[in-house]
Amino acid sequence: SQQGEEDPQALSIQEGENATMNCSYKTSINNLQWYRQNSGRGLVHLILIRSNEREKHSGRLRVTLDTSKKSSSLLITASRAADTASYFCATYIGGSEKLVFGKGTKLTVNP
Amino acid sequence: DAGITQSPRHKVTETGTPVTLRCHQTENHRYMYWYRQDPGHGLRLIHYSYGVKDTDKGEVSDGYSVSRSKTEDFLLTLESATSSQTSVYFCATGLGNTEAFFGQGTRLTVV
């Protein structure tokens, strides 16, 4: 079974609103990453948060990590139509170099 | 795209034929990964490599083999293609325990 599970599977919002996506994982981690995929393209790395960090910011992105609950959230503030994409969380399984992904959240930002 | 090239980009093949997909990188990254992406499943790890001639299985390795004879190339082989292997295949590379860089994907159709 997959390590990460994103929630919700799909999210539709209006431009200017905030979008929040959640990720749960199963094993211990050194870090958790979020990626973005535009339709038909390869994934692009957005942000990495280490296991000893609780929150991290990058531009309009805010990521939180709760290792006690094995969960993370990605917040995109002031969404734009160009943010329309699928978003995935990813972790390395328990000290290995196996990088595994969740099923993703499909975000649609309506103009 | 961090110098990652997948070939071919599109392929249609018949059931039972062997198929090899190639991933070529120019970044000298130690780690290379093969994923498949299917609707409802997100990205699933097939195999990965942690060095020349060093590979390990991922979540969905049955029916697939890999080889890495030099740092820059990671080959994925379907020994006898089946319709269930129709998918989009992504290659990724990385330095380990940090962000991964993705190729543009190969769309494989097995008829």
Side-chain angles (χ1 to χ4, degrees), chain A residues 81-100:
Chain A
D83 293 328
T84 294
S86 291
Y87 293 83
F88 297 86
C89 67
T91 61
Y92 289 95
I93 292 181
S96 77
E97 294 298 338
K98 288 186 181 181
L99 181 62
V100 294

Side-chain angles (χ1 to χ4, degrees), chain A residues 1-3 30-31 33 35 37 40-43 45 48 50 88 92 96-104, chain B residues 1 9 31 33 35 37 40-45 48 56-59 90 96-100 102-104:
Chain A
S1 61
Q2 290 177 262
Q3 163 79 324
N30 291 327
N31 63 63
Q33 305 173 42
Y35 290 77
Q37 183 183 35
R41 305 293 298 273
L43 277 71
H45 182 263
L48 179 152
R50 303 190 191 287
F88 297 86
Y92 289 95
S96 77
E97 294 298 338
K98 288 186 181 181
L99 181 62
V100 294
F101 288 77
K103 297 180 181 179
Chain B
D1 295 336
R9 293 292 312 279
Y31 298 91
Y33 305 84
Y35 296 89
Q37 185 173 30
H41 291 278
L43 273 80
R44 291 181 290 176
L45 179 65
Y48 74 104
D56 199 0
K57 296 179 180 181
E59 305 162 281
F90 286 99
N97 207 27
T98 183
E99 67 180 293
F102 279 78
Q104 289 302 300

Side-chain angles (χ1 to χ4, degrees), chain A residues 25-83:
Chain A
Y25 58 92
K26 298 175 183 176
T27 69
S28 62
I29 59 170
N30 291 327
N31 63 63
L32 184 141
Q33 305 173 42
W34 286 90
Y35 290 77
R36 166 192 168 126
Q37 183 183 35
N38 288 84
S39 181
R41 305 293 298 273
L43 277 71
V44 175
H45 182 263
L46 293 176
I47 193 166
L48 179 152
I49 186 166
R50 303 190 191 287
S51 59
N52 61 355
E53 298 176 308
R54 292 295 167 260
E55 187 170 312
K56 195 165 184 178
H57 296 253
S58 177
R60 293 184 296 112
L61 305 181
R62 183 178 79 116
V63 171
T64 62
L65 179 65
D66 187 335
T67 53
S68 67
K69 295 182 179 178
K70 290 188 169 58
S71 67
S72 173
S73 67
L74 171 67
L75 168 67
I76 304 174
T77 60
S79 296
R80 306 166 182 168
D83 293 328

Side-chain angles (χ1 to χ4, degrees), chain B residues 2-30:
Chain B
I4 302 169
T5 304
Q6 291 187 230
S7 59
R9 293 292 312 279
H10 301 271
K11 187 171 181 66
V12 179
T13 192
E14 293 186 350
T15 298
T17 60
V19 177
T20 295
L21 309 182
R22 181 183 185 232
C23 178
H24 178 78
Q25 58 139 334
T26 59
E27 302 298 312
N28 201 34
H29 287 165
R30 176 181 176 186

